[in-house]
Amino acid sequence: MTKYARFVSLVCAGLFAGFLTSVLVLELSLRGFDSTVYTQVRLVELDSLDKLAVATLLPALIATAVLAYRTHRTTTRWPTVAALALLVLVLGLTLIVNLPINSDQLHWDAQSPPSNWTDVRDRWQIAHAVRTVAAVLAFVVLALAAPSPRARRSTSPNTSTRRDRLRA
């Protein structure tokens, strides 16, 4: 079970981080365009990209939570818990900032966006940049922890002394 949770966690977190990075690049490219172009592209993004986000973030969260539980006695527990915390941060930012803005933007008219469209765009992009960094960090932490799950050693001095004598 741990092996499968690690695989799903890594694959889904990696896909999600890559997806967010791609959207960030697109969004930063849009900064050079006017309100009409920005709104048209956002409406296209909002058509289906939320489905891809859900399809990659939710399995990543669930698998990472399972992995954190399953690795409680290994050296990878804390990196896994850190990755889970980062993914929860991503979910929180998404629910608190990005999704409400997405919902509002669905009703924008590309020919006459609201007068504060740049303020809304900037708020969305800042939150998106933060969640992208958090998702990439979560993936990196999971990737670095993946090859080396070992049982934690006892901290008792007698145990390590006995182990050293047995090796000699």
Side-chain angles (χ1 to χ4, degrees):
M1 174 76 141
T2 304
K3 185 166 94 172
Y4 298 117
R6 181 173 287 110
F7 176 78
V8 172
S9 176
L10 253 175
V11 168
C12 289
L15 288 170
F16 183 69
F19 160 68
L20 288 184
T21 302
S22 298
V23 171
L24 182 62
V25 170
L26 174 63
E27 284 287 326
L28 293 176
S29 299
L30 286 173
R31 293 188 70 80
F33 291 91
D34 66 12
S35 62
T36 302
V37 172
Y38 175 78
T39 304
Q40 287 173 336
V41 173
R42 281 298 291 152
L43 291 172
V44 170
E45 284 180 29
L46 294 171
D47 183 56
S48 296
L49 289 184
D50 287 350
K51 293 173 189 140
L52 179 58
V54 170
T56 53
L57 177 58
L58 290 184
L61 272 166
I62 293 166
T64 305
V66 168
L67 188 60
Y69 175 76
R70 302 279 301 174
T71 60
H72 69 280
R73 292 183 187 251
T74 70
T75 57
T76 61
R77 178 177 189 210
W78 291 114
T80 306
V81 169
L84 180 60
L86 288 164
L87 291 173
V88 168
L89 171 68
V90 169
L91 179 63
L93 265 173
T94 300
L95 294 174
I96 293 168
V97 179
N98 296 94
L99 283 182
I101 292 173
N102 289 356
S103 183
D104 288 344
Q105 287 179 332
L106 278 172
H107 305 291
W108 285 11
D109 178 9
Q111 301 310 314
S112 60
S115 59
N116 69 337
W117 75 273
T118 57
D119 295 334
V120 174
R121 175 201 64 195
D122 292 349
R123 263 195 350 255
W124 191 94
Q125 288 178 347
I126 289 168
H128 183 73
V130 170
R131 68 186 184 155
T132 300
V133 169
V136 169
L137 285 174
F139 173 66
V140 167
V141 168
L142 287 168
L144 290 174
S148 62
R150 295 182 307 270
R152 282 187 274 180
R153 293 182 178 174
S154 172
T155 56
S156 168
N158 293 336
T159 305
S160 62
T161 305
R162 281 187 222 136
R163 200 178 301 128
D164 291 344
R165 284 184 201 148
L166 290 173
R167 287 184 187 155

